[in-house]
Amino acid sequence: MSFKVLLLDNVDERCEKVFEERGIEVVRNHNLSGQALFDEIKSYDGIVVRSSTDVTPEVLKAAENLKVVGRAGVGVDNIDIDAATARGVLVMNTPDGNTISTAEHTCGMILAMARNIPQAVQKVKSGGWDRKKYMGTEVHNKTLGIVGLGKIGGEVAKRMKEFGMNVKAYDPFASVERAESLDVELLELDELLSETDFLTVHTPLTEKTKNLISMDNADQLKKGMYLVNCARGGIYKEEDLNTLIDEGYIEGIALDVYSSEPPTEELYELLKHPQIITTPHLGASTEEAQEKVAEQIAHQMADALEQKSFKGSLNGKSISLITNKEVQPYLKLAEKLGSVAIQLAPEHANEFSFEYSGTCTKFADVLTDSILKGILSHHVSESVNLINARHYAEERGLNIRETTATQTKTFNDLITIKLNEEADYKKISATVFGEDDYRIVEIDGFGIELRLEGDIIMYQNVDKPGMLASVSSTLANQDINIANLSLGRTTKGENAITAVSVDKSMSDEELKPILGLEGIRALQYISLSAN
């Protein structure tokens, strides 16, 4: 059977050669958009894109014969994966292809910023000569702080160690063993910010990482530190960057990514600051990286079209399960429970036990993938899905134990996650109550009923009158409304667990008054707003 693939977005020519070597017809046209794309795409079995073409539901509908979409790179924000899955179209990417190029670009930005290289180049090219003005600083014996010790963060650590830097990192999901293998010291975020001379981030943009550095936490920063961002725009609060420099908190900033690309006019004005150096999202822009991802995606797509392998697929299992309505509620439950578990787990936790009871046991394998997706999505910058979740879990050194039981005493189906002994909450169970109704039903032996949605405050307290009233009053004083609540206790007058759903996301500052109440302990904040 012959196949036909369309190459868009000026993909490296190596992609075309690999397809031809595999006996697949290739057409290259990187200028298609709108109706011209709709008209052209009808007869193709596969398309390859980078970041310019948006693969929308309309494009997918027009592609009547489409079987696979390949992204020659990591990010798939321009591909509607849900729409592709609904139409049975595989979506693939190449998450490993630009690791080295992005790591090298990060290191280059660190050195360029330390020695004022871009500013000095511009000065000389404009006919100037001012050696004193562009006096730099050595990176040798300085401390490099890395937020996110995944593949790229690890490669940056290796390289900057060779420059004599002391490397420390914050990654609540990295195991101690991984850090030790890289000769990196793990710290809490506040410690890292106060000790770091150069800070680089390699994380996804989430509610937790958005505005990681801003004027709000400027007093926590080591005075005169440098910032680098080659990960995702918005991790540093862009509108605060000039103020951070002008008020002496930050000495220099190097950016390769932006909240809007290309930047807005307002952002361009901010980037003109002489102590900010910028590049136009060049992290993956090397000949080697583009050739590598082009070759990888061609082989992956050819294998998929020939039904040999589905490596790199972001929705392969989703497609195989999409017609099975029975499993889908459990997949959603498992992912939500995984998200809760990692938010309750102590930092650097790497041991989890998953227990399945009742009829859902027949889906145990894929439910573990879904739990891992929920866990890893908080700390892995790449797109985590049912296909690659175990790969990333192994890479991060997670130890997983799975058990099944055909019956459960109280519910037809139950998924339970056990955390290690250091966790405030060690065992959490949940089940499906109805359509889009997923609930926690037990925590550490306490019977509790809590819908898995929105923003949740969970705490332990002495079981005595007035506790809930005190918490409610504290929330009311901050104009925070309670949406729902659930209480559980074992014996009257002993300990109790309370879970409160609130109508808005809460900051650490807003949580402090609750933790300060007498009798409150083990306060945890859980956000499921994105789930």
Side-chain angles (χ1 to χ4, degrees):
M1 184 176 181
S2 59
F3 298 104
K4 188 176 180 182
V5 173
L6 175 64
L7 306 187
L8 300 165
D9 299 352
N10 201 22
V11 177
D12 187 88
E13 63 181 21
R14 181 63 186 146
C15 188
E16 185 174 358
K17 291 179 181 178
V18 170
F19 278 124
E20 290 173 345
E21 290 167 2
R22 298 286 296 263
I24 293 173
E25 183 182 350
V26 184
V27 174
R28 174 185 291 274
N29 192 333
H30 59 266
N31 293 317
L32 289 175
S33 62
Q35 190 59 48
L37 177 60
F38 294 162
D39 293 340
E40 175 67 23
I41 204 171
K42 292 180 180 180
S43 63
Y44 291 92
D45 300 283
I47 59 172
V48 181
V49 299
R50 290 177 64 191
S51 57
S52 297
T53 299
D54 289 328
V55 184
T56 63
E58 292 74 22
V59 170
L60 291 162
K61 184 178 180 180
E64 300 170 358
N65 201 43
L66 195 64
K67 301 174 181 63
V68 56
V69 176
R71 166 67 164 96
V74 180
V76 288
D77 295 344
N78 57 319
I79 302 172
D80 192 322
I81 295 179
D82 290 338
T85 301
R87 298 188 69 86
V89 175
L90 277 172
V91 178
M92 313 184 102
N93 72 342
T94 55
D96 299 327
N98 64 1
T99 297
I100 299 301
S101 62
T102 303
E104 288 185 353
H105 193 72
T106 300
C107 297
M109 294 286 263
I110 292 171
L111 296 171
M113 183 169 50
R115 299 304 299 270
N116 297 308
I117 292 174
Q119 299 94 327
V121 167
Q122 187 59 41
K123 185 68 173 179
V124 174
K125 283 180 175 289
S126 63
W129 188 268
D130 193 338
R131 297 176 65 192
K132 185 176 181 180
K133 182 178 180 180
Y134 299 112
M135 178 76 68
T137 184
E138 295 181 359
V139 299
H140 185 263
N141 277 337
K142 299 296 194 307
T143 296
L144 173 66
I146 300 176
V147 178
L149 203 57
K151 288 179 292 187
I152 296 173
E155 292 297 332
V156 171
K158 292 176 187 176
R159 284 156 178 74
M160 298 317 295
K161 290 286 290 186
E162 294 300 317
F163 277 88
M165 296 195 81
N166 305 307
V167 183
K168 302 181 181 183
Y170 167 74
D171 187 330
F173 206 59
S175 65
V176 174
E177 291 77 11
R178 170 162 173 76
E180 289 178 347
S181 71
L182 294 167
D183 193 20
V184 171
E185 180 183 357
L186 289 174
L187 297 177
E188 299 297 325
L189 182 58
D190 289 350
E191 291 181 277
L192 188 73
L193 297 182
S194 66
E195 297 181 16
T196 293
D197 298 299
F198 292 80
L199 182 74
T200 179
V201 290
H202 300 284
T203 70
L205 179 65
T206 67
E207 284 303 312
K208 287 190 174 182
T209 61
K210 185 178 180 181
N211 299 334
L212 184 75
I213 301 293
S214 70
M215 284 302 297
D216 292 338
N217 65 345
D219 290 335
Q220 299 176 25
L221 308 178
K222 183 175 181 180
K223 206 81 166 178
M225 70 188 300
Y226 295 80
L227 303 179
V228 183
N229 186 3
C230 295
R232 297 289 188 275
I235 294 178
Y236 303 145
K237 191 173 182 179
E238 291 166 339
E239 54 265 42
D240 286 2
L241 296 182
N242 286 13
T243 306
L244 285 165
I245 295 173
D246 293 340
E247 295 193 9
Y249 293 104
I250 302 297
E251 181 64 28
I253 300 170
L255 300 175
D256 185 49
V257 290
Y258 313 90
S259 58
S260 175
E261 295 185 5
T264 61
E265 288 185 16
E266 293 80 7
L267 183 50
Y268 268 127
E269 285 301 313
L270 294 174
L271 299 178
K272 290 179 181 178
H273 195 290
Q275 287 166 257
I276 297 178
I277 66 173
T278 59
T279 49
H281 203 151
L282 298 179
S285 296
T286 62
E287 292 180 4
E288 293 84 354
Q290 291 308 308
E291 182 176 324
K292 189 183 299 182
V293 297
E295 182 172 346
Q296 285 181 356
I297 200 63
H299 280 301
Q300 288 172 199
M301 290 176 65
D303 286 343
L305 289 170
E306 295 168 4
Q307 301 285 302
K308 292 180 178 179
S309 167
F310 299 95
K311 179 184 177 182
S313 169
L314 301 179
N315 61 345
K317 285 186 182 177
S318 299
I319 288 173
S320 66
L321 294 168
I322 197 165
T323 57
N324 186 342
K325 294 183 178 179
E326 185 182 2
V327 71
Q328 291 184 39
Y330 301 120
L331 288 173
K332 293 178 182 177
L333 174 68
E335 183 175 348
K336 287 175 178 288
L337 195 60
S339 179
V340 170
I342 193 58
Q343 293 180 72
L344 294 178
E347 292 190 347
H348 315 305
N350 66 344
E351 292 188 7
F352 298 88
S353 293
F354 306 152
E355 297 180 357
Y356 307 102
S357 304
T359 56
C360 71
T361 56
K362 58 187 175 182
F363 306 122
D365 183 53
V366 71
L367 292 182
T368 291
D369 296 332
S370 196
I371 291 175
L372 291 172
K373 179 184 176 186
I375 289 174
L376 291 161
S377 293
H378 284 265
H379 300 298
V380 174
S381 58
E382 296 81 6
S383 300
V384 184
N385 55 75
L386 299 180
I387 297 293
N388 61 23
R390 291 193 191 237
H391 165 75
Y392 286 123
E394 291 172 3
E395 180 184 79
R396 291 298 180 106
L398 288 190
N399 297 314
I400 302 301
R401 184 172 179 266
E402 304 164 81
T403 59
T404 60
T406 55
Q407 293 182 335
T408 174
K409 294 179 181 179
T410 51
F411 297 95
N412 291 331
D413 299 279
L414 202 66
I415 300 178
T416 298
I417 299 179
K418 291 183 178 180
L419 309 176
N420 63 30
E421 289 300 316
E422 297 177 7
D424 289 328
Y425 301 93
K426 299 172 178 60
K427 181 180 178 182
I428 181 168
S429 301
T431 190
V432 178
F433 269 62
E435 186 176 356
D436 293 326
D437 189 353
Y438 312 101
R439 304 189 194 185
I440 293 173
V441 292
E442 184 178 312
I443 300 174
D444 291 349
F446 292 81
I448 199 166
E449 191 172 304
L450 175 68
R451 290 189 68 138
L452 285 163
E453 61 184 18
D455 298 279
I456 301 163
I457 306 164
M458 189 180 297
Y459 59 87
Q460 297 177 23
N461 61 272
V462 178
D463 183 31
K464 65 178 183 179
M467 293 302 303
L468 182 58
S470 297
V471 173
S472 300
S473 176
T474 302
L475 289 170
N477 289 338
Q478 300 183 82
D479 199 28
I480 298 171
N481 190 46
I482 293 177
N484 203 348
L485 63 89
S486 182
L487 303 94
R489 66 179 184 180
T490 51
T491 306
K492 181 179 179 180
E494 298 295 330
N495 290 326
I497 287 181
T498 304
V500 180
S501 296
V502 293
D503 281 347
K504 66 179 287 290
S505 59
M506 293 182 65
S507 65
D508 291 341
E509 287 300 315
E510 290 171 320
L511 292 168
K512 281 181 181 178
I514 301 174
L515 190 57
L517 295 173
E518 184 179 355
I520 300 292
R521 67 181 188 85
L523 177 70
Q524 296 276 9
Y525 174 68
I526 301 164
S527 178
L528 293 169
S529 297
N531 288 80

